[in-house]
Amino acid sequence: MALQDRNRVVVLEDRVENISGAEFPLSFDGKEVPFTLASFKDTFDIKIIRVTPTDIEFDLIGVDASIANALRRILIAEIPTMAIEKVYMVNNTGIVQDEVLAHRLGLIPIKADPDEFQWKRADEQPTDQNTLVFRLDITCARNPEAAADETDNSVKYINGSVYSGQLAWIPQGDQETRFAANPIRPVHDDILVTKMRPGQQIVCEMHCEKGVGKDHAKFSPVSTASYRLLPEIQILEDITGEDAEVFAQCFAPGVIEIVTENGVKKARVANARKDTVSREVLRHKRFEGKVRLTRVRDHFIFSVESTGIVAPEKLVSQALDVLMEKCDIAKAALAQATNGGGGSEMDEE
C-alpha cells in the first residue's frame, strides 16, 4: 500500500477502514516510517484559516493524533485565567441558595490578564498581586413609575434580574493604577446570575484567584477546543448531467460545484473541508465505484473558541509553549533514565 493510501482513513457505506491504531506514531500496517527531523520539517505546517476576537480556526498538518490531542487538552485544562474562587456572603434573601449562587458567580468569565497576577498558595493571604475583589450589593424593589397593570417584570421591578455587569470591581493596592487602561470587569455584562423580587437583597464579596481548568472548569479559557480530520473526496469517474446535480446535493453546501465543460455539466470538488462526511453519496447505486471518501490521518482542522478572557491566537501560542515545556521535561527524564540516574525498577524488569 502506498504511503499516501496508508495515511488515509477510508469511509465506506457501513464501516470505516484503515483505522487500526499503532503502538507508536508514524507507523502503518505494522511498518515503521523512520522519523527524521528533516522529514518532519518538510511535512509539518500550521495554517491559520480564520481569526476573530473570540475564535480561531487553523490546520495542524504532519503530526500524530497524540500531539493534536495533547494540544487540545492543554487548551482546555492548563492555560491559567482569573476566576471567582471565594464568595463571602453577607446577606442573601433571594430564592437561590448561597452555594448555588456562589457557583453561578464563579462561572462568570473575568476580563483580567492572568500574566499580571501571581499564583496564590493555600496558606497565603490575599494581596493585590494574587487576588481581585468584586462586590455585589443589590436590592429589588417595585418600580414606582410602572403602571398598575404592568406585566413586564423588567419594567415592573427595579433589579428584578441580576446580571454580571452589576458586579463592582474593588481595586486593591495599586490595581487601579496598574489597570487604568483596561479596568478589570466581567467579559460580558448580560450574563443572568439570578432573579429577585421586591424586598429581597444580595450582598456579597468575591475574591478572584489564578487557576487552571484541570482544577475547575471555571478557569478554562476556552468554550470549546476541538479538531477533526480533513475530509477528502476523490471523484474516480466523471459525474455529469443530472447525476452531477444529484451528486452535489449529497454533500453540504459549498462542497461540490457544478461546472460546464464542452456544454456538459460536471461535478467537481470545490471545498472538501466543508464536508460533514455524511456518507449520503454512498447510498446511491449510480455513484458506486465513482467516488471515494477518505480523511487525511495527519491533517487536523482545529477550532478554538475563547471565553473572551484571552485572545484565541494567544491561547494557541501559550498552549504550544506548555507542550514544548512538557517535551523538555520528558527529554530530561528520559536522559536521566538512560544515564542510570533513575528508573531502577524499570531496569530490574
Side-chain angles (χ1 to χ4, degrees):
M1 184 184 292
L3 176 60
Q4 181 176 353
D5 290 334
R6 293 203 304 265
N7 202 27
R8 296 296 188 270
V9 176
V10 182
V11 181
L12 302 177
E13 182 181 0
D14 56 351
R15 64 190 186 279
V16 180
E17 288 188 344
N18 203 26
I19 60 171
S20 299
E23 294 182 359
F24 48 86
L26 300 173
S27 65
F28 304 92
D29 303 330
K31 298 178 182 179
E32 181 182 356
V33 177
F35 174 84
T36 64
L37 185 59
S39 63
F40 174 75
K41 288 181 177 180
D42 288 339
T43 57
F44 176 74
D45 196 9
I46 295 180
K47 295 181 179 179
I48 307 299
I49 306 300
R50 175 176 55 87
V51 181
T52 71
T54 57
D55 300 82
I56 183 171
E57 181 181 325
F58 64 94
D59 288 4
L60 185 63
I61 306 169
V63 297
D64 184 72
S66 58
I67 301 299
N69 197 48
L71 185 63
R72 180 190 68 85
R73 292 172 65 93
I74 290 170
L75 282 165
I76 294 173
E78 298 190 48
I79 305 298
T81 65
M82 299 293 291
I84 294 173
E85 176 69 6
K86 293 182 173 63
V87 178
Y88 300 94
M89 204 68 67
V90 179
N91 187 25
N92 175 23
T93 57
I95 194 171
V96 178
Q97 58 265 44
D98 292 356
E99 58 271 27
V100 176
L101 182 60
H103 178 71
R104 292 179 65 85
L105 289 168
L107 293 175
I108 297 173
I110 303 299
K111 187 67 174 179
D113 187 353
D115 294 338
E116 297 290 335
F117 295 90
Q118 300 173 357
W119 295 90
K120 182 179 176 295
R121 297 194 303 269
D123 58 346
E124 274 188 316
Q125 293 298 316
T127 70
D128 60 333
Q129 299 299 315
N130 61 27
T131 303
L132 287 169
V133 178
F134 283 87
R135 185 173 177 82
L136 180 63
D137 187 345
I138 194 165
T139 302
C140 181
R142 292 187 179 274
N143 185 359
E145 298 180 1
D149 58 349
E150 179 63 61
T151 59
D152 187 346
N153 290 334
S154 63
V155 178
K156 188 175 181 180
Y157 304 122
I158 299 173
N159 296 328
S161 297
V162 181
Y163 293 97
S164 54
Q166 294 172 288
L167 272 63
W169 172 46
I170 311 298
Q172 305 296 310
D174 66 346
Q175 288 180 355
E176 188 171 12
T177 303
R178 286 165 55 197
F179 304 107
N182 191 17
I184 307 299
R185 63 194 185 280
V187 172
H188 305 287
D189 291 335
D190 58 350
I191 299 175
L192 181 63
V193 178
T194 186
K195 292 187 176 183
M196 298 194 301
R197 289 298 177 260
Q200 296 179 351
Q201 182 184 38
I202 297 174
V203 181
C204 62
E205 182 172 289
M206 294 148 279
H207 287 193
C208 296
E209 298 177 7
K210 191 172 181 177
V212 291
K214 63 183 178 181
D215 293 331
H216 195 287
K218 66 186 176 185
F219 291 110
S220 181
V222 297
S223 300
T224 58
S226 62
Y227 61 81
R228 59 190 177 97
L229 293 178
L230 175 70
E232 184 181 62
I233 302 168
Q234 301 174 9
I235 298 178
L236 306 178
E237 295 182 17
D238 288 348
I239 300 175
T240 59
E242 182 184 345
D243 284 357
E245 299 285 355
V246 176
F247 185 78
Q249 294 174 5
C250 292
F251 297 88
V255 175
I256 302 296
E257 63 180 358
I258 306 297
V259 298
T260 302
E261 294 183 359
N262 301 322
V264 178
K265 291 182 178 180
K266 181 180 178 180
R268 186 172 67 184
V269 179
N271 190 351
R273 69 186 294 119
K274 291 184 177 181
D275 182 33
T276 59
V277 195
S278 66
R279 296 190 279 193
E280 173 64 24
V281 68
L282 300 178
R283 298 185 176 97
H284 294 262
K285 292 296 184 182
R286 68 174 78 182
F287 301 130
E288 189 173 340
K290 294 183 178 181
V291 62
R292 184 170 183 254
L293 303 182
T294 67
R295 284 190 166 190
V296 184
R297 194 188 299 273
D298 63 349
H299 189 138
F300 301 91
I301 300 175
F302 253 92
S303 178
V304 179
E305 180 183 351
S306 169
T307 58
I309 299 174
V310 182
E313 62 271 21
K314 185 177 179 181
L315 286 176
V316 175
S317 177
Q318 289 178 336
L320 290 171
D321 289 339
V322 173
L323 183 58
M324 288 188 289
E325 183 180 352
K326 288 177 178 291
C327 291
D328 290 338
I329 294 172
K331 284 171 61 179
L334 180 61
Q336 184 180 18
T338 303
N339 295 331
S344 57
E345 294 182 0
M346 184 183 297
D347 294 338
E348 293 176 0
E349 292 178 358

